[in-house]
Amino acid sequence: QVQLVESGGGLVQAGGSLRLSCAASGSMFSINVMGWYRQVPGKQRALVAHITSGGSTNYGDSVVGRFTISRDNAKNTVYLQMDSLNPEDTAAYYCYANIRRSLWDSGTVYWGQGTQVTVSS
């Protein structure tokens, strides 16, 4: 069984910072892409950022220059450093990981339970 456990959400004032973490655990052969999406009620889930096992990154347009994604492969953990937060960043943030459970497994996307980030003006 594979689990993704997120931490680090909360309430912050505009202009502040938060750091999200997401740790993968369970029976895994390798982890390919890890990343974050966010969702507000009534809207589709939107990409925040993702990072490959080799460290290549991609960001959603609205967070470029403010958010930084990183990962610690030894800890199977992905991080999202969020700076210069504004009220439009308020959302539930979900981490995901494309995980291979064996050499013959092409990979399955697993999701965390979500963590709420609220930015007050």
Side-chain angles (χ1 to χ4, degrees), residues 73-87:
N73 291 328
K75 295 182 178 180
N76 296 325
T77 299
V78 62
Y79 305 96
L80 185 68
Q81 177 66 40
M82 304 185 293
D83 298 319
S84 302
L85 285 160
N86 58 61

Side-chain angles (χ1 to χ4, degrees), residues 13 15 39 74 93-94:
Q13 287 190 331
Q39 188 171 26
Y93 284 69
Y94 297 89

Side-chain angles (χ1 to χ4, degrees), residues 6-71:
E6 300 147 343
S7 60
L11 174 65
V12 64
Q13 287 190 331
S17 298
L18 281 175
R19 189 190 194 211
L20 306 183
S21 300
C22 174
S25 63
S27 176
M28 298 176 288
F29 175 74
S30 65
I31 304 177
N32 301 323
V33 176
M34 302 184 81
W36 298 87
Y37 274 73
R38 66 186 182 185
Q39 188 171 26
V40 297
K43 292 190 176 181
Q44 284 191 326
R45 202 170 282 193
L47 174 70
V48 177
H50 71 231
I51 183 168
T52 68
S53 57
S56 296
T57 59
N58 186 49
Y59 293 91
D61 290 343
S62 63
V63 306
V64 171
R66 300 187 298 121
F67 291 10
T68 303
I69 190 169
S70 61
R71 65 190 278 175

